[in-house]
Amino acid sequence: MQIIHEDLLAMVEAMPAFPQGVSKVLDLCSKADCSPKDLVSVVERDPVLAMRVLKLVNSPFIGLSQPISSISHGVAYVGMNTIKNIALTVAAIGMLPRENKANFDMDEFLQHSLGTAAVCKRMAGLKGVKETNSADYFLAGLLHDFGKVILVRQMPDQFSEALEEAQKKKLALDAAERMIYKIDHAEIGAVLAAHWALPEGLIRAIRYHHSAGDLSNPSLLEQIVMAGNLVVHRLGFGSSGNYYPAELPKSIIKNLGMNIDEIISAIGDTDSLFADAKAFAST
Amino acid sequence: MRFKFWGVRGSIATPGPKTVRYGGNTTCIEIRGASNELVILDAGTGIFQLGNTLAPEFPININIFLSHTHWDHIQGLPMFSPIFVPGNKITIHGAMDIVSQHSVKEVLSRQMEHAYFPVKETELAAELSYVDLQENDCIEFGETRVTNCLLNHPVLNFGYRVESAGKSLVFTGDHEWPYNIYDQTDPEYGAYQEIINARRQKIIDFFKDVDALIIDTSYDDIEYEQSKVGWGHGTFDKSIAAAKESSVKKCYLTHHEPTRSDDELEDLYFAALERNDISDSDPEFILAKEGVEFLA
Ligand SMILES: [Zn+2]
Ligand SMILES: [Zn+2]
């Protein structure tokens, strides 16, 4: 299926952000003393806003010599005002409607994305990733399911069929998707990210978040995003419409030195870890 | 390489008795390479006077590099006489607008829409072309080459490094040294500081060892801390520190704050030299002055 064609890209360009993100951006920017760090924290918590900023700052038109893989990194390179104007441009489009034809709960989805982001960042810390790079893990966790945002908007009938089939046949959602439309949300998200020239590591983390176990030499980011997603599923925080996710492959358990339960106990207090995600998603 | 300031004022032109010594036109710098090839940095109101001196060289080849497209850096362009004369070749280089995704050509043609200016962009007689620069592009003509570095301003702003026959010059356009947006107690502070440090180092490397550094020094440091953080401009102390760190030979302080009189400007300059303990081994610091030509 030729899924990424020009009109799909055009539709994605005009995609509004989550209501939570939009109202916070408008609120912050209406104040004369809009605080840069508050604005960054909104942009890096809304998958659509984050994706749009990454897309523009990595645009081949300006050809920055260094790929930008986190929002704060973007601020330091193209400046606060540019990020603010990008956020306002997206906010002006409107808001993603809470109701959709696929019957997909966007609030639950946002919680799932934010929860995965938080877990990935915490896991990166546990694996000794430097503070400077932990924002990359947060963002990869946030954006791993971006393909679903596309599906909900552009192919709601097929996506809802995949959701139903997965439930009925007790299949992993990505498997049901491939059964029905020969591609899954991981691949769709990755193709889009690649089309927008996002950093290679991020594209791969999105593409392999259900299949890092098949790679001969998966990166730490790919493995953490795959495991982080499953941790959030296990903890039942939010929902991504996937009720029968595949197990974490043995090879990844071995590489990380932890299975899902061990990761959960290493993470410690998940209430405080998710407090921020809850606060953002529930407004 | 020779260069001459045709405009040194920031933000808006400020003619009048209080600015007569340093000049009231907004940013424009004429550079002549080793074979007299002409490079113009920014097209503020100063470019009008420059244009009027070029007729003896027509038809002429002109390379204009715009640091960014704020008014004070482009406002002279519609009144730059060489654009009306057939035979002249003018190439305008600059950064696209990342927010609207408009090219330099699109951004500039708007200032020539009929509500703003009587002549349409398409009616200009000179051969005009536009180049959207990417970071690290290298443009060469004659013995001269121009490279760029993205600096920090509310819109994308390129600093330019011009090299010709062994001599070199950097012009920052408008630039505020990036600062940490987090408080020291925030968990993000350290990681962000590392990004900022790396960014600063990249800029210092871009300035490294040039014969002339022309740098945005709009504000006094106290006035900056009090009310100008985030406005996208430099200060005396920050410019001096950067010039020392990058071992430039001479440093020209420019983009003078528009409400500043000549006397106030000099007072701030003398105080900054004093405060920063300038000695023999340091670069020479000079207030950029309209109409004055220098050798790099
Ligand atoms: Zn300016
Ligand atoms: Zn400016």
Side-chain angles (χ1 to χ4, degrees), chain A residues 115-116 119-120 123 223-233 260:
Chain A
T116 308
V119 168
C120 289
M123 285 180 70
Q223 299 182 76
I224 283 183
V225 172
M226 179 169 194
N229 178 39
L230 293 173
V231 165
V232 175
H233 276 292
I260 296 294

Side-chain angles (χ1 to χ4, degrees), chain B residues 65 133-140 144-148:
Chain B
F65 287 81
L133 288 176
Q134 300 185 339
E135 196 183 31
N136 296 339
D137 273 351
C138 176
I139 308 285
E140 291 185 77
T144 299
R145 45 179 263 158
V146 182
T147 50
N148 66 64

Side-chain angles (χ1 to χ4, degrees), chain A residues 149-166:
Chain A
V149 188
I150 312 292
L151 285 161
V152 168
R153 281 200 49 100
Q154 319 299 356
M155 300 167 52
D157 298 332
Q158 285 137 300
F159 187 49
S160 98
E161 195 186 338
L163 291 165
E164 280 164 28
E165 280 298 301

Side-chain angles (χ1 to χ4, degrees), chain A residues 191-240:
Chain A
V191 171
L192 209 60
H195 184 84
W196 288 341
L198 301 200
E200 193 57 34
L202 176 60
I203 299 170
R204 290 179 59 94
I206 295 172
R207 175 167 283 135
Y208 298 117
H209 76 265
H210 290 297
S211 57
D214 301 341
L215 299 170
S216 56
N217 209 354
S219 70
L220 185 62
L221 181 67
E222 287 151 15
Q223 299 182 76
I224 283 183
V225 172
M226 179 169 194
N229 178 39
L230 293 173
V231 165
V232 175
H233 276 292
R234 177 72 60 83
L235 292 168
F237 186 73
S239 166
S240 71

Side-chain angles (χ1 to χ4, degrees), chain B residues 9-12 26-27 42 67-68 70-73 153 157 173-174 216 218 232-233 255:
Chain B
R9 193 63 51 177
S11 309
I12 191 162
T26 65
T27 306
D42 279 348
S67 61
H68 65 302
H70 280 160
W71 278 123
D72 55 321
H73 299 255
H153 198 53
N157 177 98
D174 291 0
D216 176 351
S218 296
H233 296 289
H255 207 270

Side-chain angles (χ1 to χ4, degrees), chain A residues 59 103 121 129 153 171 207:
Chain A
S59 155
N103 263 326
K121 184 175 174 188
V129 170
R153 281 200 49 100
L171 279 174
R207 175 167 283 135

